[in-house]
Amino acid sequence: MPAEDRGPIRASSSQYSSSSDALHTVFGYDNFRGDQAEIIQQVIDGGDALVLMPTGGGKSLCYQIPALVREGTGVVISPLIALMQDQVDALSAVGVRAAFLNSTQDQEQRRGVERALLNGELDLLYLAPERLRVTATIDLLDRASISLFAIDEAHCVSQWGHDFRPDYLQLSMLHEHWPRVPRIALTATATEQTHLEIQKRLQLSDARHFVASFDRPNIQYRIAAKNAPQQQLLELLRSEHPGDAGIVYCLSRASVEKTAEFLIQNGTSALPYHAGLDSRVRAANQSRFLREDGIVMVATIAFGMGIDKPDVRFVAHLDLPKSVEGYYQETGRAGRDGLPSTAWLAYGLQDVMQQRRMIDGSEGNAEHRRRLGQHLDAMLALCETVECRRVQLLGYFGETSTACGNCDTCLAPPESWDGTVPAQKLLSTIVRLQRERNQKFGAGQLVDILLGRSTARITQYDHSSLSTFGIGGELSDQEWRGVVRQLLAQGLLAVQGEYGTLIVTESSARVLAGDRSVMLRREPERASRPAKTRRSAAVELPAGASPVFERLRAWRAAESKEQGVPAYVIFHDATLREIATATPNTLAELGTMSGVGENKLAKYGEAILEVLAS
Ligand code: ADP
Ligand code: ZN
């Protein structure tokens, strides 16, 4: 129904004259970041926008401010039902009138929200996409005055992506049904393919595209050789992130459980999260992670989309992610507040074997397996690079950059060395076993042969009579495993069957024939731990400000507990740090701090000044 044919409605009249007025008054920020101002103007002017911006880039303001400036209610489509309450709380805290409609509400609650919407009392309404399948919802929106549609997590429309939601496909109806209402689609997923798919499926052909740099300079990227992963993780937490909030990703439910238990036994406040847990336990754990300070969430990748906790200080991966795209999204959950954070991945031979096997055994056609293989190859290339990790990561998303100085390979450059001879020794051992004995083995036995060890299995198979027995003394056990891993990563070896036996590939022949050399990466002694570059949030403050910051944090913790909202809904760490450093004496001074808008100043100003004076 065209807008002019609609019956009489009471539109919520806008309280803000301009976008910068709303930015200062409501959110307490001084300036727009990146493309925010332009994106916001595009939507205020009634145009469509497609926004690709990394996590933490500031996407929310891009639809929240137009919703405040334009007449009517901004409708936000989001798949993240479990987070809607927090989003609404965070908006209410700054005085924005927001509500949501989803399956968690009873009829009375829904009625209340519907009434508020029709009375023009809402600036923003969050909706789960499946609501739009219901005619009653469409009728409701038809009777309301809609200022814009924001399609959050727009990559959920991509059928090839890992977050595909069938309900997103029907969102093209927004355009068909409400052709005059501007739409803004937003995502932190960056590949060209996803970008085009969003445009096509959401019928955003007239939209202006805003593609931000995906660099997250405050995140330090590090990939370490996996030896004793739990112990390595514990060392990372103890030496660099004591008391910090973080996420640890594991591939399986079992390893989530084991790792969480291990961390708890070692004095860390860790919680598990995976799809096998009862949904109430899952919701409770997520809520504690968001509300309490310093919780470590040990999770499968089922956790994290849309989590907008700003002070996640590290994201650790104990297993190799399946794609660079997924990895970048997951690590992007660290450091939304722009403060220094760590992305740490432990990676080893078993990871490569396991993933190659999973791909071979996966359902789906050859094309599907080929795509999985390409994703894995890109991930392996990132792990094995001797160049800057960030250059490689951004390159994957089509962005060129220069060495960052803040990743493990920049901080402790690994050497590359000519591994042709060891590669030939390993490959010829495999070839001989196959040709002379019709046998295949996994990495363990091959390394034992090369090192000339006398184990029970060596005796059992009479492997000491092989001509390659004991010819690999120049490398250690660990180094040989590194060679196997890298040959696998380079496609010069392949895994076969469930026991992980190794076989040569077509490309290996050229190495054996001496027609191709093999460059390998030598792990720097302590690649996993570059020079101490940052400690917990409090430590980087100027002398004297730390105790003030801690007092402010304690005040915030009590306040958030009393209100039952996450601490960051009260104030972000970044804001508390600024206050602790500047120690304002008056409400007027306090009001100039970034993140202190009118509402929060009125609500908390006096209390903050008291904490500062105490
Ligand atoms: P995204 O949704 O893109 O991941 P958010 O919208 O959550 O990012 O914003 C990330 C953080 O940056 C939030 O803490 C937000 O308050 C803050 N922020 C966004 N825009 C600005 C700005 N113009 N000035 C200061 N802080 C901002
Ligand atoms: Zn770098």
Side-chain angles (χ1 to χ4, degrees):
M1 187 173 13
E4 55 267 37
D5 296 346
R6 287 193 297 234
I9 42 163
R10 280 198 278 157
S12 75
S13 63
S14 165
Q15 316 156 51
Y16 304 99
S17 55
S18 68
S19 52
S20 46
D21 179 25
L23 182 75
H24 303 305
T25 323
V26 181
F27 298 98
Y29 296 141
D30 293 333
N31 300 302
F32 285 112
R33 279 190 191 156
D35 287 340
Q36 275 177 336
E38 258 188 279
I39 299 167
I40 288 168
Q41 200 53 50
Q42 165 79 358
V43 181
I44 289 179
D45 292 344
D48 294 340
L50 174 45
V51 176
L52 275 66
M53 211 187 255
T55 312
K59 285 185 286 301
S60 322
L61 290 189
C62 296
Y63 59 83
Q64 288 168 351
I65 289 186
L68 290 173
V69 173
R70 280 176 67 89
E71 293 286 316
T73 305
V75 175
V76 187
I77 313 292
S78 163
L80 308 163
I81 293 178
L83 298 171
M84 285 184 183
Q85 184 67 57
D86 286 346
Q87 282 169 325
V88 164
D89 286 345
L91 285 165
S92 306
V94 293
V96 173
R97 303 168 306 169
F100 60 83
L101 284 176
N102 68 31
S103 51
T104 65
Q105 293 161 306
D106 61 30
Q107 207 174 20
E108 198 178 326
Q109 289 170 316
R110 272 209 289 270
R111 288 254 165 79
V113 173
E114 290 171 11
R115 251 193 321 272
L117 173 71
L118 294 176
N119 286 338
E121 291 161 8
L122 292 180
D123 301 310
L124 280 158
L125 174 68
Y126 286 78
L127 272 189
E130 54 271 22
R131 292 263 116 205
L132 288 168
R133 272 202 316 248
V134 186
T135 356
T137 311
I138 313 251
D139 291 345
L140 175 74
L141 296 184
D142 270 336
R143 284 186 289 143
S145 164
I146 308 296
S147 60
L148 60 91
F149 286 110
I151 303 165
D152 206 6
E153 312 290 351
H155 63 281
C156 290
V157 81
S158 159
Q159 276 174 298
W160 304 123
H162 35 41
D163 294 324
F164 174 58
R165 312 253 169 160
D167 280 319
Y168 261 66
L169 287 177
Q170 42 135 16
L171 292 181
S172 55
M173 64 83 72
L174 295 177
H175 180 51
E176 288 150 16
H177 199 92
W178 294 281
R180 283 155 207 269
V181 179
R183 294 169 302 152
I184 170 171
L186 313 103
T187 179
T189 291
T191 58
E192 190 58 21
Q193 195 192 357
T194 320
H195 182 171
L196 294 175
E197 224 183 323
I198 294 172
Q199 175 183 15
K200 189 169 133 231
R201 294 194 189 279
L202 295 178
Q203 296 183 15
L204 281 163
S205 44
D206 295 332
R208 260 189 80 184
H209 295 218
F210 298 90
V211 182
S213 164
F214 271 69
D215 190 14
R216 300 285 310 281
N218 61 315
I219 300 181
Q220 183 177 82
Y221 278 90
R222 281 148 60 181
I223 300 179
K226 193 195 266 190
N227 308 314
Q230 294 191 336
Q231 214 53 52
Q232 287 172 283
L233 173 68
L234 189 62
E235 194 181 315
L236 172 79
L237 300 199
R238 285 192 172 151
S239 62
E240 296 177 52
H241 292 288
D244 283 348
I247 307 175
V248 178
Y249 282 112
C250 304
L251 210 55
S252 71
R253 295 172 189 185
S255 61
V256 164
E257 296 280 350
K258 266 197 303 226
T259 307
E261 210 166 288
F262 170 82
L263 289 180
I264 293 165
Q265 276 165 5
N266 286 282
T268 306
S269 316
L271 293 171
Y273 189 104
H274 57 71
L277 288 172
D278 182 82
S279 64
R280 268 173 316 204
V281 176
R282 230 168 37 217
N285 287 358
Q286 170 170 306
S287 164
R288 278 192 60 194
F289 175 73
L290 293 175
R291 276 165 180 70
E292 296 175 25
D293 279 332
I295 300 263
V296 176
M297 189 65 114
V298 186
T300 57
I301 54 168
F303 177 75
M305 193 189 14
I307 292 285
D308 53 6
K309 187 175 169 63
D311 57 351
V312 174
R313 292 272 69 86
F314 65 89
V315 170
H317 282 84
L318 289 192
D319 296 299
L320 186 69
K322 292 195 179 74
S323 71
V324 175
E325 209 172 340
Y327 172 67
Y328 205 58
Q329 281 235 354
E330 285 141 28
T331 55
R333 289 165 191 151
R336 274 172 178 255
D337 53 12
L339 299 176
S341 310
T342 309
W344 181 84
L345 159 66
Y347 147 79
L349 173 57
Q350 284 308 320
D351 288 294
V352 199
M353 308 243 285
Q354 189 187 15
Q355 297 236 357
R356 289 256 195 253
R357 273 208 308 271
M358 265 171 19
I359 292 174
D360 288 340
S362 78
E363 290 172 15
N365 54 21
E367 169 61 19
H368 178 63
R369 277 201 295 276
R370 196 179 59 83
R371 204 162 30 231
L372 292 178
Q374 284 172 346
H375 283 313
L376 177 59
D377 286 342
M379 195 62 222
L380 292 174
L382 174 67
C383 292
E384 302 292 359
T385 187
V386 292
E387 313 289 338
C388 170
R389 305 269 190 213
R390 199 178 312 271
V391 166
Q392 182 111 355
L393 274 168
L394 293 174
Y396 183 78
F397 299 115
E399 232 178 292
T400 39
S401 58
T402 52
C404 74
N406 184 30
C407 70
D408 57 350
T409 54
C410 280
L411 292 165
E415 286 168 33
S416 68
W417 59 290
D418 187 339
T420 312
V421 172
Q424 286 168 336
K425 290 179 180 177
L426 180 76
L427 293 172
S428 73
T429 304
I430 295 172
V431 170
R432 273 163 213 279
L433 281 168
Q434 166 96 59
R435 274 205 209 125
E436 295 169 13
R437 318 263 175 113
N438 197 21
Q439 291 172 344
K440 288 175 196 161
F441 283 90
Q445 184 76 357
L446 293 169
V447 172
D448 284 348
I449 293 171
L450 288 162
L451 289 176
R453 284 175 167 159
S454 47
T455 68
R457 264 161 72 87
I458 294 283
T459 317
Q460 181 190 346
Y461 291 104
D462 185 30
H463 280 166
S464 56
S465 64
L466 282 166
S467 59
T468 57
F469 186 76
I471 61 166
E474 74 272 31
L475 298 181
S476 69
D477 187 297
Q478 200 61 37
E479 287 167 329
W480 273 115
R481 288 180 162 270
V483 173
V484 175
R485 190 191 76 223
Q486 297 189 58
L487 293 184
L488 271 167
Q490 294 185 22
L492 293 169
L493 272 182
V495 205
Q496 201 181 42
E498 55 177 317
Y499 299 111
T501 54
L502 295 169
I503 54 172
V504 293
T505 66
E506 256 168 54
S507 343
S508 320
R510 293 192 52 221
V511 177
L512 278 169
D515 292 341
R516 170 177 169 176
S517 63
V518 181
M519 291 311 285
L520 298 176
R521 173 186 213 272
R522 197 189 310 280
E523 309 302 333
E525 275 295 290
R526 290 236 62 111
S528 60
R529 201 143 61 96
K532 287 186 178 266
T533 45
R534 61 147 258 111
R535 294 303 77 90
S536 76
V539 183
E540 286 173 18
L541 289 161
S546 286
V548 185
F549 177 66
E550 290 307 333
R551 284 210 306 279
L552 289 167
R553 262 173 40 130
W555 165 81
R556 182 183 65 179
E559 194 65 41
S560 86
K561 196 154 187 191
E562 196 180 306
Q563 295 183 39
V565 297
Y568 62 82
V569 166
I570 316 257
F571 281 118
H572 287 182
D573 274 2
T575 302
L576 292 191
R577 292 158 57 84
E578 197 177 324
I579 297 174
T581 310
T583 58
N585 292 312
T586 63
L587 285 176
E589 275 176 61
L590 181 59
T592 65
M593 310 275 110
S594 179
V596 186
E598 274 182 0
N599 222 54
K600 288 192 178 175
L601 184 66
K603 193 161 173 191
Y604 304 122
E606 297 290 350
I608 294 267
L609 292 181
E610 254 172 56
V611 174
L612 291 176
S614 67

